[in-house]
Amino acid sequence: MSPTTAETASTTNAGTAGETGGTAVRKVTARTVVDSRGNPTVEVDIVLADGSRGRTAVPSGASTGAREAVELRDGDPRRWHGRGVDRAVAHVNGEIAATVRGRDAADQEGLDAALTALDGTPGKARLGANALLGVSLAAAKAAAAARRQPLYRYLGGAGARLLPLPMMNIVNGGAHADNPLDYQEFMIAPVGAATFAEAVRMGSEVFHTLRRDLLAAGHSTGVGDEGGFAPALRTAEEALDFVTAAVERAGYRPGADIGLVMDPASSEFFRDGMYHYAGEGVRRTPSEHADHLARLIDAYPVVSVEDPMAENDLDGWRELTARVGDRCQLTGDDVFCTNEALLREGIRTGVANSVLVKVNQVGTLTEALAAVTTAHRAGWTAVVSHRSGETEDTTIADLAVATGCGQIKTGSLSRSDRTAKYNQLIRIEEELGEAARYAGRSALRGAHGA
């Protein structure tokens, strides 16, 4: 997990191909497509002077941080229930296209800076982060195609060879499912696998074992937004017990072969200074909530917890980090929103020890790469992540390898919008051959990991 790859990722190959004019942007086209929830989203195509092409479909979140870059929606209730993206598409096809045409797509930092300046607002509210990100990522893909390189190699350079530890969401709750479970995600991480392909096999075996166990116990095996099961469980202990049993029944050792990961998404149930556990019918103070999480971390082989505390409960974050940060990875999502300035403040003040990286939270590839670099320089870990509203676009799979971050969160072992990323990583591992390395347990922060 050396920072070297991430530090050079945004400038690798920049300008070299553009000297001939072949990587100048010739055409920019945006359209409305649908995401994994059937909602509209922005897709962008970029064609370069040499004919190289890049295409990106932008994801969308359901559980979102208050400080995320703005996803521009039309708000017209007569179309798409107000969730249309016609304005964002028009911005891409209009003034954004006019700005980037003729620019060198191989100069990622320059192009992204031009996009940010064109918008002119702190949260990309005028043109929309969904409009800007589609152009940013499509340009990177087109430049990679012009260099006849896979995206992970183009962005990460020759040293990009680390396959990430996957965090596989197999039980959904919270905003991702219609069940009483307060915590949003319960995941498995195949820390003991030898290769990424083996990690996928292990995860699939546990996923199908869990399905049988849930059916035997009389639970529904319908899946939530990210492909995990959404049974009518009420407590974190119930979910962790089911997952641990499935790991064992699949023939693996909890903790040694497969670690557990939780995402409470605590901002979703934090109100008026209290954590409201609707499923349990109780309220907990920040200290009581931290106590509860610490007990779960001690009682189960939990190797990582995402958003254990709410984005506005910074005192709670610091308390939990001081208490368990030496033995468990604590990953900030809502509290940082892939924003480098927020991340620097968290590093300075002892909030978390890891950052979740979602490119659409911040709006450009350059800014997302800067967050990874900042985390690595501080000795923190970074986890490249999908969103609950995904597409078949596999950019984040390449991004995880390009940055050498060693961890990816991209959903369950069902729904092709999730498995597409796993399949892309399997292909990358095969392409790398003997040079490929699987991060496994070493990618994690804390005593359970590195």
Side-chain angles (χ1 to χ4, degrees):
M1 295 194 307
S2 165
T4 304
T5 303
E7 288 173 356
T8 60
S10 61
T11 55
T12 298
N13 300 320
T16 305
E19 291 172 1
T20 64
T23 51
V25 176
R26 188 180 75 197
K27 185 177 181 182
V28 181
T29 307
R31 64 185 65 84
T32 297
V33 295
V34 292
D35 68 16
S36 59
R37 288 196 294 251
N39 289 325
T41 192
V42 178
E43 183 175 79
V44 177
D45 288 351
I46 283 184
V47 182
L48 305 184
D50 68 354
S52 299
R53 295 171 177 267
R55 170 177 290 169
T56 293
V58 179
S60 174
S63 172
T64 56
R67 290 165 287 193
E68 288 194 21
V70 175
E71 179 186 67
L72 189 64
R73 298 282 180 176
D74 298 335
D76 182 353
R78 298 168 298 177
R79 293 174 55 80
W80 300 102
H81 297 284
R83 296 191 59 78
V85 291
D86 289 352
R87 285 193 295 157
V89 167
H91 287 322
V92 175
N93 289 329
E95 59 182 298
I96 295 176
T99 296
V100 302
R101 272 196 298 267
R103 293 196 66 94
D104 185 1
D107 178 13
Q108 188 73 45
E109 289 187 2
L111 185 142
D112 287 346
L115 291 173
T116 300
L118 178 65
D119 178 88
T121 64
K124 302 178 175 64
R126 188 177 76 83
L127 299 174
N130 44 345
L132 301 183
L133 181 65
V135 175
S136 177
L137 294 182
K141 288 185 170 183
R147 292 296 299 265
R148 293 174 174 79
Q149 291 181 324
L151 185 61
Y152 73 88
R153 176 68 65 226
Y154 173 74
L155 292 176
R161 60 175 187 157
L162 186 67
L163 276 296
L165 170 72
M167 297 177 172
M168 300 163 160
N169 180 358
I170 61 174
V171 174
N172 283 188
H176 290 173
D178 296 323
N179 63 8
L181 195 57
D182 295 296
Y183 287 9
Q184 190 163 276
E185 300 174 46
F186 295 85
M187 294 164 272
I188 52 174
V191 294
T195 66
F196 184 84
E198 184 179 53
V200 172
R201 176 180 61 79
M202 292 166 66
S204 176
E205 290 168 358
V206 174
F207 176 79
H208 289 290
T209 301
L210 177 60
R211 181 179 185 275
R212 291 194 293 270
D213 289 352
L214 290 170
L215 282 173
H219 289 288
S220 166
T221 54
V223 299
D225 280 350
E226 298 182 357
F229 300 115
L233 306 177
R234 292 192 174 275
T235 69
E237 289 90 343
E238 287 182 85
L240 291 167
D241 285 342
F242 264 108
V243 173
T244 302
V247 170
E248 291 173 337
R249 281 176 31 76
Y252 298 109
R253 298 165 297 167
D257 298 321
I258 295 180
L260 306 189
V261 179
M262 296 189 297
D263 176 11
S266 296
S267 297
E268 297 291 316
F269 55 96
F270 183 65
R271 298 185 302 278
D272 304 319
M274 299 287 287
Y275 290 90
H276 295 251
Y277 282 70
E280 297 181 36
V282 301
R283 295 191 306 168
R284 291 186 169 102
T285 66
S287 289
E288 290 169 343
H289 178 61
D291 286 342
H292 181 59
L293 287 167
R295 285 195 297 271
L296 294 176
I297 290 167
D298 290 339
Y300 297 90
V302 174
V303 297
S304 181
V305 185
E306 177 187 330
D307 278 358
M309 311 303 288
E311 61 188 305
N312 295 323
D313 183 15
L314 297 182
D315 287 339
W317 262 107
R318 283 186 281 269
E319 178 184 342
L320 186 67
T321 303
R323 183 169 176 178
V324 304
D326 62 338
R327 64 182 189 275
C328 185
Q329 180 171 278
L330 301 174
T331 305
D333 176 14
D334 292 347
V335 71
F336 299 136
C337 292
T338 317
N339 181 301
E340 189 182 10
L342 295 175
L343 176 59
R344 287 185 185 279
E345 181 64 12
I347 292 168
R348 186 185 69 82
T349 59
V351 170
N353 56 27
S354 177
V355 61
L356 203 72
V357 176
K358 296 173 174 175
V359 287
N360 82 313
Q361 282 184 325
V362 67
T364 67
L365 176 58
T366 297
E367 290 166 292
L369 292 172
V372 176
T373 297
T374 295
H376 284 168
R377 284 176 172 168
W380 283 30
T381 55
V383 183
V384 169
S385 176
H386 64 164
R387 300 309 300 260
S388 55
E390 262 297 337
T391 73
E392 62 272 28
D393 189 301
T394 61
T395 300
I396 62 168
D398 283 72
L399 187 59
V401 178
T403 59
C405 69
Q407 299 182 62
I408 190 169
K409 176 187 173 186
T410 189
S412 191
L413 280 302
S414 69
R415 299 184 60 134
S416 57
D417 42 285
R418 314 295 152 176
T419 59
K421 282 71 166 176
Y422 294 125
N423 292 340
Q424 175 67 357
L425 286 163
I426 289 171
R427 297 182 196 107
I428 292 173
E429 184 172 62
E430 180 182 274
E431 183 175 295
L432 287 169
E434 292 185 358
R437 297 291 181 269
Y438 172 62
R441 183 182 301 276
S442 66
L444 294 161
R445 176 68 183 264
H448 285 303

